[in-house]
Amino acid sequence: MARISIPLPSPVAYRTTLSVQIGDLNYGNHLANDAVLRLCHECRVRWLAQHAFTELDAGGTGLIMADAAVQYLAQARHGDVIEIEMGVADVGRSSFTLVYHLHRPADNQTIAKVGTGMVCFDYATQKVGRMPQALREVLEAV
């Protein structure tokens, strides 16, 4: 099986810092795979809030994650400070990709690289919708 390779976000659209909490650990006493996606989710929600958006109303549309890919590169432990850099790629008619770089500033170690495919979604009708201009402008301003 071939390994995936996720590019680093370029340019960086948003940057935030989070610390690894006790609930983020797995049985191996390091950052769990599901926690990596939770950290990315927190980064995405903070970025959306910076633009007065939410995942239920991002400029007139909801957002739903259609897919995710994670490339694990190093372990993180309880208390580690993780910087997450996020970028935008592949903006389409109703979807876009967010690319994340999770690294530990203390030793500049990359913990993971993540890509999430986001789709504009109308939760009332349960259908994919067209991307509103307000969201497109934020995505293309990066």
Side-chain angles (χ1 to χ4, degrees):
M1 176 191 268
R3 290 189 53 194
I4 64 169
S5 180
I6 298 170
L8 292 174
S10 180
V12 173
Y14 184 75
R15 180 179 285 113
T16 194
T17 302
L18 298 165
S19 62
V20 177
Q21 304 295 305
I22 197 70
D24 295 331
L25 303 182
N26 64 15
Y27 59 87
N29 206 30
H30 61 265
L31 184 63
N33 56 12
D34 60 318
V36 170
L37 285 176
R38 272 197 313 276
L39 294 175
C40 292
H41 187 185
E42 180 66 28
C43 177
R44 182 172 61 250
V45 167
R46 289 179 181 190
W47 168 71
L48 288 167
Q50 174 181 286
H51 298 286
F53 292 162
T54 68
E55 290 188 322
L56 293 177
D57 184 5
T61 188
L63 297 175
I64 194 166
M65 186 187 305
D67 56 58
V70 182
Q71 184 180 6
Y72 302 100
L73 297 162
Q75 295 179 359
R77 306 242 181 241
H78 179 250
D80 281 354
V81 173
I82 305 295
E83 183 176 73
I84 305 173
E85 298 171 323
M86 188 195 79
V88 176
D90 305 325
V91 178
R93 192 186 101 135
S94 61
S95 65
F96 57 97
T97 300
L98 296 176
V99 181
Y100 309 81
H101 176 220
L102 287 72
H103 69 279
R104 185 174 40 236
D107 61 1
N108 205 30
Q109 179 67 54
T110 295
I111 305 303
K113 295 188 286 183
V114 179
T116 59
M118 305 301 296
V119 176
C120 297
F121 192 74
D122 183 331
Y123 282 91
T125 63
Q126 294 290 294
K127 293 183 180 177
V128 172
R130 188 169 213 140
M131 185 180 300
Q133 188 61 32
L135 176 57
R136 181 171 301 283
E137 288 172 6
V138 167
L139 295 171
E140 291 178 348
V142 176

